[in-house]
Amino acid sequence: MSWNEPGGGKKDPWSGRNDKNDPPDLEEVIRSLQDKLGGIFGGGSKGGLGNGPSMKGVGFLAAGAVILWGLSGFYTVDEGTRGVVTRFGAYVNTTQPGLNWHIPSPVEQVSVINVEQQRFIEVGYRSGGGQGMGSVPKEAMMLTKDENIVDVRLAVQYQVKDAKDYAFNVLDPASTLKQVTESVQRGVIGRSDMDFVLTEGRSDIVLAIKSEIQAVMDAYKTGILITSVNLQDAQPPEQVQGSFEDAIKAREDKQRLINEAEAYSNDVVPKARGAASRIVQESEGYKEKVIARANGDVSRFSQLLTEYKKAPAVTKQRMYIEAMELVLGRSNNVLVDVKGGNNIMYLPLEKLANKTVEDATPAPVASHEPVSLTSPPVKDIKTDVRASSRERDVRGR
């Protein structure tokens, strides 16, 4: 028996029609399914494969599809984001946070844009995932006003302030912002000297760069708000770094010496001014004293002149006595007029006083009793001199 001949019991090797355990026929399964669908949508169950559902069933299917399509237009906008609705690519409106609806695709599309996210760009370096900054010389090297080259690294943070402008007016906002930043940065650095960029001018440069970047981005209507500009680093090129550090040290030494000189000046100048003021005040006081004494002498002379005109002889005698009293009162030598004698006794009180002090000092070698010399009070002697002078004047008269 060949392979394609029926076997025993009329069994076909390719099918099991006559086998009671064989699966049902495919045509029977399709017919049964068609009958069930016809019953649901109002069709008959006697048709073959060519019989379809009725118009009523098609209407239900179409209505269900439209409802599902309309429900797919609901969408939610989260807090801090805005929804930009476009109809066939044209802008329609901007939706606020919450539940919103738009005509479903493909008529309208919604692009959700985060307007509170802080975005940033790097110019002159790449952060490298937090493992240090890698310099980009093509972006970092810039020429200053005094024709020096500096390595400047800048980071700009920004966020979206207008979702419509951000989505439609610029093809690539981040790339545009980077190009604008690099251009503005080179312009600001080119207007500044190298020392100003590297030392005290950092804050001014950052403010100028931020202001100019915002002005350009507003002119382009990019919908971008610059929140901060950070000058990460500004230094001379690596090839001249050592020489530049030496120059900085020399500048610091210069400033230190200047500060020390100013401190010394602040210490000495007030003292000198005080001494000068004291001398001036002493001079003023001396001037007033001399003027007052001169005025007193003039007044006294005027009074003497008046008395002299009244009694010239008496006034002369009195003036002589007062002058001698003044002269002898300043001298340590005393002359004593002894009554009944022609000789005047001379007492060297200055030498006697010095001798008394020497005798009062104990001798270092020999010990002896101290000798004490006493002299009469000068005041009493002066009184005696005045008395004797007056007696002579009386006798002469």
Side-chain angles (χ1 to χ4, degrees):
M1 181 180 65
S2 62
W3 62 274
N4 58 355
E5 292 180 358
K10 299 181 181 181
K11 292 181 179 181
D12 190 353
W14 298 105
S15 64
R17 297 177 182 176
N18 299 325
D19 193 356
K20 295 180 180 179
N21 296 327
D22 292 338
D25 188 18
L26 181 60
E27 292 182 359
E28 295 178 358
V29 174
I30 293 175
R31 187 179 297 108
S32 174
L33 182 59
Q34 186 176 3
D35 293 340
K36 291 180 180 180
L37 290 176
I40 294 175
F41 294 106
S45 60
K46 297 181 180 180
L49 290 174
N51 297 329
S54 64
M55 294 299 297
K56 185 178 180 181
V58 173
F60 281 118
L61 286 176
V66 170
I67 292 174
L68 293 176
W69 180 71
L71 293 176
S72 66
F74 287 98
Y75 65 97
T76 301
V77 178
D78 296 332
E79 186 67 26
T81 61
R82 299 292 184 271
V84 179
V85 182
T86 58
R87 183 176 301 161
F88 298 113
Y91 173 77
V92 177
N93 65 341
T94 301
T95 56
Q96 300 298 318
L99 182 63
N100 299 274
W101 181 86
H102 70 97
I103 300 175
S105 179
V107 179
E108 291 183 352
Q109 302 287 339
V110 178
S111 298
V112 179
I113 299 176
N114 193 331
V115 297
E116 293 185 357
Q117 178 184 0
Q118 290 290 336
R119 302 173 173 85
F120 72 96
I121 60 172
E122 300 169 340
V123 179
Y125 75 102
R126 299 295 180 269
S127 58
Q131 299 179 356
M133 295 188 300
S135 178
V136 182
K138 183 179 179 181
E139 300 176 358
M141 295 299 178
M142 300 184 184
L143 189 65
T144 61
K145 180 180 179 181
D146 52 356
E147 298 182 356
N148 289 315
I149 297 177
V150 292
D151 186 342
V152 181
R153 304 175 185 182
L154 202 69
V156 179
Q157 291 185 351
Y158 67 97
Q159 65 184 27
V160 179
K161 68 175 180 179
D162 192 319
K164 174 189 173 183
D165 293 343
Y166 184 80
F168 287 97
N169 291 343
V170 181
L171 180 62
D172 189 353
S175 178
T176 301
L177 177 59
K178 185 173 182 180
Q179 295 175 9
V180 171
T181 300
E182 186 175 351
S183 176
V184 170
Q185 181 181 358
R186 291 185 182 278
V188 174
I189 297 298
R191 297 194 301 266
S192 306
D193 294 333
M194 182 176 182
D195 291 339
F196 183 75
V197 174
L198 299 179
T199 54
E200 73 274 6
R202 294 193 174 212
S203 58
D204 297 336
I205 289 175
V206 167
L207 292 177
I209 291 175
K210 180 181 179 181
S211 176
E212 293 189 20
I213 291 175
Q214 187 64 63
V216 175
M217 300 307 289
D218 290 343
Y220 288 168
K221 296 182 179 180
T222 57
I224 289 177
L225 175 65
I226 306 299
T227 57
S228 67
V229 176
N230 299 319
L231 187 60
Q232 300 292 338
D233 194 9
Q235 60 184 2
E238 185 178 356
Q239 294 82 355
V240 296
Q241 187 70 33
S243 300
F244 184 76
E245 291 178 356
D246 294 338
I248 291 178
K249 292 180 180 178
R251 188 184 298 111
E252 292 176 352
D253 293 339
K254 173 185 175 182
Q255 188 63 38
R256 178 178 55 81
L257 294 176
I258 291 175
N259 294 336
E260 292 178 355
E262 290 180 352
Y264 178 75
S265 174
N266 295 333
D267 181 41
V268 173
V269 171
K271 293 180 179 179
R273 290 176 178 173
S277 177
R278 178 175 56 82
I279 293 174
V280 171
Q281 293 177 0
E282 291 178 354
S283 301
E284 294 291 337
Y286 177 74
K287 172 185 175 182
E288 297 295 332
K289 182 180 71 173
V290 171
I291 292 175
R293 181 179 298 173
N295 292 331
D297 293 341
V298 171
S299 177
R300 183 170 57 84
F301 181 79
S302 299
Q303 295 175 4
L304 288 175
L305 179 61
T306 303
E307 297 296 331
Y308 180 79
K309 290 180 179 180
K310 293 179 180 179
V314 176
T315 304
K316 286 182 180 180
Q317 186 67 27
R318 190 183 69 175
M319 291 175 63
Y320 172 77
I321 295 173
E322 290 178 354
M324 293 302 297
E325 181 181 2
L326 181 63
V327 171
L328 295 177
R330 295 178 179 177
S331 174
N332 292 326
N333 299 326
V334 178
L335 299 177
V336 180
D337 187 9
V338 180
K339 295 181 179 180
N342 295 327
N343 297 326
I344 297 177
M345 182 178 180
Y346 168 72
L347 295 178
L349 295 180
E350 182 178 1
K351 294 182 178 181
L352 290 176
N354 293 336
K355 182 64 176 176
T356 303
V357 173
E358 292 177 357
D359 294 341
T361 304
V365 179
S367 61
H368 56 275
E369 294 181 0
V371 178
S372 61
L373 298 176
T374 59
S375 58
V378 177
K379 184 176 181 181
D380 296 339
I381 295 174
K382 291 181 180 180
T383 304
D384 295 339
V385 171
R386 295 174 184 172
S388 60
S389 299
R390 291 172 182 173
E391 290 177 359
R392 287 196 304 271
D393 292 339
V394 171
R395 287 196 299 270
R397 294 176 184 176

